[in-house]
Amino acid sequence: MEKKEVLIITKVFCDVLGKYALMFGDILEKNEKEFVEKRENYIDVTMEFYGPARGLIGMITTEDFCEQLNKNLLDKNDEYVTAGKYDSVKEFINIVCAQFVSTMYGEKNVFDFKLPRITNVGRDSWFAITGEIGKKFVVEDNPVFIYTILSQVN
């Protein structure tokens, strides 16, 4: 049985993806290794939160996903799409993180958030993080791994 936080992050991710970006994802089930290895440039975008609980929301995906997300958000196909792709993916993870926190911990709890960070990672990062903390998707023919790492506040 999946952990509660994985179920919540999966639902939140799919909801925000559909409503905000007008994109849809399918669970990545078959030929994962082959599918992931077809691409080269991966990023890990993360956002930390603090309050009654602390943790982070992360997403490992491709540069191509970021460009497609930006195109959908801006409804444009020009040079800015490439230039602004990181801003769009940061805003996307910001919305996912806020929705996750309010769904997981309730809307009355107060949380602080750090600014989203983007790190360039290799394909190996996809396989290094276990599926127990998140869910792997195919979105617009791109691999996307949404995950959460939680810790208790003492």
Side-chain angles (χ1 to χ4, degrees), residues 14-68:
C14 290
D15 288 349
V16 174
L17 190 67
K19 292 175 184 170
Y20 179 67
L22 304 174
M23 299 167 81
F24 303 94
D26 295 313
I27 301 294
L28 177 59
E29 295 176 354
K30 301 184 210 174
N31 303 324
E32 176 184 347
K33 187 171 176 30
E34 181 181 315
F35 183 70
V36 169
E37 288 181 347
K38 286 194 305 189
R39 288 136 185 96
E40 299 217 6
N41 299 319
Y42 283 85
I43 62 160
D44 187 9
V45 56
T46 58
M47 186 167 183
E48 296 177 54
F49 58 89
Y50 304 90
R54 66 186 308 160
L56 70 79
I57 301 298
M59 183 173 68
I60 298 175
T61 191
T62 62
E63 300 271 340
D64 291 342
F65 171 81
C66 297
E67 286 183 24
Q68 186 62 48

Side-chain angles (χ1 to χ4, degrees), residues 108-140:
K108 294 187 180 192
N109 286 309
V110 177
F111 284 86
D112 292 319
F113 298 90
K114 280 194 169 183
L115 293 174
R117 286 189 334 215
I118 293 180
T119 308
N120 290 313
V121 295
R123 282 182 229 132
D124 294 340
S125 294
W126 178 275
F127 299 107
I129 299 177
T130 69
E132 294 176 8
I133 62 169
K135 196 62 98 173
K136 297 175 180 181
F137 289 90
V138 177
V139 180
E140 302 287 323

Side-chain angles (χ1 to χ4, degrees), residues 56-93:
L56 70 79
I57 301 298
M59 183 173 68
I60 298 175
T61 191
T62 62
E63 300 271 340
D64 291 342
F65 171 81
C66 297
E67 286 183 24
Q68 186 62 48
L69 177 70
N70 201 31
K71 283 180 189 177
N72 284 25
L73 297 179
L74 298 176
D75 195 27
K76 291 185 177 183
N77 283 324
D78 58 22
E79 307 83 46
Y80 184 74
V81 169
T82 301
K85 67 184 176 185
Y86 293 130
D87 292 336
S88 292
V89 79
K90 285 178 180 179
E91 183 61 23
F92 179 79
I93 204 73

